[in-house]
Amino acid sequence: MFVLELTYTVPLDRVDGFMADHLTWVKAQYDAGVFVASGRKEPRDGGVILAVGDDRAAMEELVAGDPFSVAGVCEYRVTRFLATNVAAALEPYREKPSA
């Protein structure tokens, strides 16, 4: 699993100009089963996404295709973690650490 942290690099009015395209992209990732949760940070200086996967390079390639990334209005911090403890609703995403 990954925590994808977005940090805006430009003023919000510029970010908002790409919001509709970004949200379309986010929905496509939910539809593909990659994203399991997302939302704005408070204060509104970016966002956070929880994503399913185990290939860091593939996840970095995915976020490079976000319209926010393409437009250069945000930077992503990609953090891989093993979800070894989860709520019952997230049981399908539980991971077992290797050795």
Side-chain angles (χ1 to χ4, degrees), residues 24-89:
T24 297
W25 177 82
V26 168
K27 182 183 180 320
Q29 305 319 311
Y30 275 104
D31 292 347
V34 178
F35 291 176
V36 295
S38 62
R40 294 178 175 176
K41 291 193 292 188
E42 191 58 48
R44 188 178 170 212
D45 61 1
V48 175
I49 301 168
L50 295 182
V52 176
D54 59 7
D55 183 336
R56 181 181 195 81
M59 194 60 62
E60 289 176 350
E61 183 176 334
L62 178 72
V63 300
D66 176 352
F68 277 178
S69 293
V70 173
V73 301
C74 85
E75 293 179 349
Y76 269 92
R77 179 177 177 202
V78 177
T79 305
R80 169 91 164 99
F81 78 102
L82 296 176
T84 55
N85 294 299
V86 297

Side-chain angles (χ1 to χ4, degrees), residues 4-16:
L4 310 175
E5 182 181 4
L6 296 79
T7 301
Y8 300 143
T9 57
V10 299
L12 284 176
D13 61 333
R14 189 146 168 242
V15 171
D16 287 341

